[in-house]
């Protein structure tokens, strides 16, 4: 197949890690006979330096004309003095909004080779952990009205959801669950919140259309506990923006390593925005020691969700697992008896194993 991929390396370690993910995608293209073209653009601080704004209209248009977007990370001390409206992070928020990606997907897997980095007891992670957290990204209390009383001593934040917003997120969850182990857990606070009651009603209504998916509902306080007590019970977990913000970071902590975690942000069609969950790591930039695996695994999500190339996505994930099996580690995930390699070498090792 032919695919047009926009790359947005961003700032500090961004270009280092994206270069390695592109190298792996090129290896996939060569092995499976695809043609991927890469259109590199600037985002964040790099765009501020070149054009004065963190995201240009041209870059957004290129993203919206592409099949998928692969991003590194943005921001860093160089732009700390820039006025709030033009900061690098604003470019990323504008990009998510401009691409209308409303579903944030974060897989949480514990690589058996890195189980030592997982803070949970070994008997809890004895069963495989493979969770897909789907967080609604454009609604909820983050986008409601806010107010503060005149005396500044009380404040309100409005939580709002429409059935349409819940439905479009839940549909993605049902479809993904149907392709995986067939289990969907919807997380809310329906014993207290009206938004959650609407959420639960909507998910229940949709479940009739997906008889192959087993649906459960869980209150968010219990879900936070169950993720720690018995994470293996979850397959796909869907939730709102606020609860998802917290639970997805909890799942990242369970997986143990920031540098390993991929993410995808999806909208109505197949186009998506793919990025590692970590930031631009200014403290290690330019030294070729960053871990590119979170970005490489984000490229695997790109193959799966935007290009529909499941076998190729699995080949990337298997190549990463093999490199870890063989004992190669970047400095952030090193442990005794492993071979420490740099960012470039890690990318090359994965690409060779495709
Ligand atoms: P960070 O994620 O950049 O770094 C936190 C720590 O993790 C650092 O010690 C860093 O060296 C390490 N780390 C992160 N990624 C790594 C990798 N791939 N390999 C090895 N080590 C890695 O978070 P921060 O320091 O709070 O933020 C730095 C900048 O990144 C800030 O400007 C922040 O706003 C921005 N940021 C951007 C995004 C994004 O682009 N999506 C996300 C978070 C933070």
């Amino acid at each position: 197949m032919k695919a047009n991929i926009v790359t947005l390396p961003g700032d500090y370690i961004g270009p280092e890690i994206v270069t390695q993910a592109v190298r792996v995608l090129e290896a996939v293209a060569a092995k499976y006979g695809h043609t991927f073209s890469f259109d590199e653009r600037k985002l964040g601080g790099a765009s501020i330096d070149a054009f004065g704004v963190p995201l240009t209209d041209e870059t957004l248009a290129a993203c919206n004309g592409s099949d998928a977007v692969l991003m590194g990370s943005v921001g860093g001390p160089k732009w700390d003095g820039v006025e709030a409206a033009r900061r690098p992070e604003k470019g990323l928020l504008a990009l998510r909004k401009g691409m209308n990606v409303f579903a944030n997907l974060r897989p949480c897997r514990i690589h058996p080779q890195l189980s030592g980095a997982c803070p949970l007891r070994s008997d809890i992670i004895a069963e495989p952990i493979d969770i897909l957290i789907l967080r609604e990204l454009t609604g909820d209390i983050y986008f409601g009205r806010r107010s503060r009383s005149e005396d500044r001593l009380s404040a309100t934040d409005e939580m709002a959801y429409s059935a349409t917003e819940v439905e479009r997120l839940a549909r993605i969850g049902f479809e993904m669950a149907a392709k995986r182990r067939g289990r969907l857990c919807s997380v809310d606070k329906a014993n207290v919140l009206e938004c959650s009651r609407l959420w639960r009603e909507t998910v229940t209504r949709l479940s009739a259309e997906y008889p192959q998916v087993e649906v459960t509902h869980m209150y968010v306080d219990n879900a936070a506990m169950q993720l720690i007590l018995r994470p293996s019970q979850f397959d796909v977990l869907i939730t709102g923006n606020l609860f998802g913000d917290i639970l997805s970071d909890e799942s990242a902590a369970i997986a143990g390593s920031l540098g390993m975690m991929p993410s995808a942000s999806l909208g109505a069609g197949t186009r998506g925005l793919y990025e590692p969950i970590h930031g631009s790591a200014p403290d290690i930039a330019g030294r070729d020691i960053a871990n590119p695996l979170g970005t490489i695994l984000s490229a695997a999500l790109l193959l799966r969700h935007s290009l529909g190339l499941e076998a190729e996505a699995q080949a990337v994930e298997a190549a990463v697992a093999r490199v870890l099996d063989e004992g190669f580690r970047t400095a952030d995930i090193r442990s005794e008896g492993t071979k420490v390699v740099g960012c470039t070498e890690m990318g090359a090792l994965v690409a060779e194993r495709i």
Side-chain angles (χ1 to χ4, degrees), residues 64 78 107 113-114 124 138 151 201 220 226 251 268 330:
N64 277 328
K78 183 172 178 204
Q113 309 85 344
L114 300 180
I124 294 176
T138 55
D151 62 9
E201 273 165 36
V220 62
Q226 294 298 328
S251 75
T330 43

Side-chain angles (χ1 to χ4, degrees), residues 156-295:
T156 58
D157 293 279
E158 180 187 73
M159 176 182 274
Y161 261 122
S162 69
T164 311
E165 286 172 314
V166 180
E167 179 169 338
R168 63 185 189 176
L169 187 276
R171 277 200 189 282
I172 297 180
F174 275 107
E175 274 153 30
M176 288 185 177
K179 287 193 206 142
R180 290 169 46 102
R181 302 193 300 283
R183 294 206 314 269
L184 181 86
C185 177
S186 174
V187 172
D188 62 36
K189 188 74 184 168
N191 49 345
V192 180
L193 300 173
E194 200 53 38
C195 280
S196 283
R197 287 192 270 272
L198 172 71
W199 182 282
R200 197 174 276 219
E201 273 165 36
T202 309
V203 173
T204 304
R205 173 170 54 78
L206 281 182
S207 65
E209 294 178 39
Y210 300 91
Q212 71 278 41
V213 176
E214 179 200 327
V215 182
T216 52
H217 299 273
M218 200 180 272
Y219 297 137
V220 62
D221 38 355
N222 186 26
M225 215 163 55
Q226 294 298 328
L227 271 172
I228 299 288
L229 293 175
R230 207 163 65 81
S232 60
Q233 72 186 282
F234 295 104
D235 178 11
V236 176
L237 188 159
I238 59 169
T239 191
N241 204 345
L242 173 64
F243 301 152
D245 191 355
I246 300 162
L247 295 182
S248 62
D249 270 19
E250 186 183 348
S251 75
I254 291 171
S257 169
L258 200 58
M260 297 288 304
M261 295 285 290
S263 81
S265 299
L266 307 173
T270 56
R271 186 180 307 122
L273 170 64
Y274 300 85
E275 53 177 311
I277 71 161
H278 59 72
S280 63
D283 53 333
I284 59 165
R287 292 159 55 197
D288 195 30
I289 59 169
N291 185 346
L293 295 178
T295 319

